[in-house]
Amino acid sequence: MDFTDGNKAHLDMTGGVISGTLSLKFPTVSGNFLLVVEQDGSTRTIANYKALDAAGNDANNDGGTAGDIRWAGGTEPDLTDGGNKRDILSFYWDADEEVCYGVVSLAFEAA
């Protein structure tokens, strides 16, 4: 997902999973970014996430593990299963330290 052109993106998981790594590319400035992940009727997963700087390199993560996202609670999210559910992944990108902080809001669906 390329956030260098905007701070919102939509990922439709219909028909597949991401068994490798979903890379999130951030701009040269700090900011808040949203990714809406939409499920179809099956279980779709994202195995790993990685933060990239504007040049496409692994984020420095303030000298920590390159490219890692710092998730609230310390673990990557377990996305919602089921038809037409949506999860919102919110990121704060600190461009100075090249640190990406992530929080997930799960199970949005029509009432």
Side-chain angles (χ1 to χ4, degrees), residues 19-87:
S19 58
T21 300
L22 176 63
S23 296
L24 306 168
K25 185 176 178 182
F26 294 98
T28 57
V29 295
S30 299
N32 295 300
F33 301 86
L34 294 175
L35 174 61
V36 176
V37 178
E38 181 179 351
Q39 299 284 356
D40 64 6
S42 299
T43 300
R44 307 295 182 194
T45 59
I46 299 172
N48 296 297
Y49 301 80
K50 180 180 278 198
L52 305 175
D53 65 17
N57 302 310
D58 286 353
N60 182 25
N61 200 5
D62 191 25
T65 306
D68 279 355
I69 294 173
R70 296 183 185 193
W71 292 101
T75 57
E76 292 181 349
D78 181 15
L79 300 178
T80 305
D81 298 333
N84 300 313
K85 301 273 176 67
R86 290 175 174 84
D87 299 323

Side-chain angles (χ1 to χ4, degrees), residues 24 26 51 61 68-70 91-94 98-102:
L24 306 168
F26 294 98
N61 200 5
D68 279 355
I69 294 173
R70 296 183 185 193
F91 301 100
Y92 172 71
W93 168 245
D94 178 340
E98 289 194 1
V99 176
C100 180
Y101 300 92

